[in-house]
Amino acid sequence: MVKTYVEVLSRASSFLEEAGLEGYAIEYLFLERKGWDKTQWLLHMREAITVEEEKCIQADTQQLLKYIPAQYILGYSDFLGHRFKVTKDTLIPRPETEELVMLCLEKNQQRQCLKVVDIGTGTGAIAISLKLARPDWQVQAVDIAEETLKVAEENASNLKASVSFYLGDVLSTISEPQDIIISNPPYISHSEWMLMDESVRTYEPKKALFAENDGLAIYQKIAEEAPNCLKPDGMVLLEIGFKQGSLVKEIMETAFPDKYVEVKKDLSGNDRMIVVS
């Protein structure tokens, strides 16, 4: 009997959901591998599937059952229209971080030739996206992990973004005053470990997720170092956990008594960003 795409994928999706996993993940993987958008899927979904394609879906399903994130299976993740390589050494870029980049661009529309540093760059998604959107900006990126920086450098090379990368902790390698300091640092407290999705706990790099002092340690370090690395009219933009708004705001107000510190919400209505300006 001839099987169709939709039959095989529906079965795989149900199988994942019965195991307590996200059923859509297998459709996402399939469409990515085929290079199909939603319209193409609707046009082809009732066509016959080949044996090779069915085997690929079965293999992907087995990977997903081991809690391996779909982006790690593919080896890439899309961020603001650009494709970034991801590995076990990098955090998978999130939509909330896209909002941080968009906010940075929106608040600096008329400002040219700015000096920008991205702390804890990971895949390089923030730094590279800013450089591609504003080619006249001088963008630097820092990460504490050598293997992570290699991935970021590869992404910059693939996307033809001229970003300078440095191995270092927070702002220790930055010598010149910056116009913008931006970061999506590790901000999850160790007490939240059991609340994390199993795929995140098992596969994403712990250094990029967790921070001491109830998740506030890196913000405290940024607050300590940023005043000496920021121009008088400079700006700091940070991604935060949705419960950390008032705490990080207080940390930044203490570090920058002469600046305005605001908490911005993400599209879901959660506290997600801090702007010091």
Side-chain angles (χ1 to χ4, degrees), residues 79-96:
F79 184 89
L80 286 177
H82 307 298
R83 182 151 290 178
F84 289 83
K85 177 182 178 178
V86 295
T87 73
K88 61 178 176 52
D89 298 306
T90 65
L91 205 63
I92 296 164
R94 303 299 204 268
E96 294 84 1

Side-chain angles (χ1 to χ4, degrees), residues 11-26 60-62 64-65:
R11 195 175 307 130
S13 180
S14 299
F15 192 62
L16 288 167
E17 283 169 6
E18 283 164 21
L21 293 164
E22 179 60 67
Y24 174 72
I26 191 63
D60 282 344
T61 303
Q62 289 306 310
L64 291 169
L65 285 167

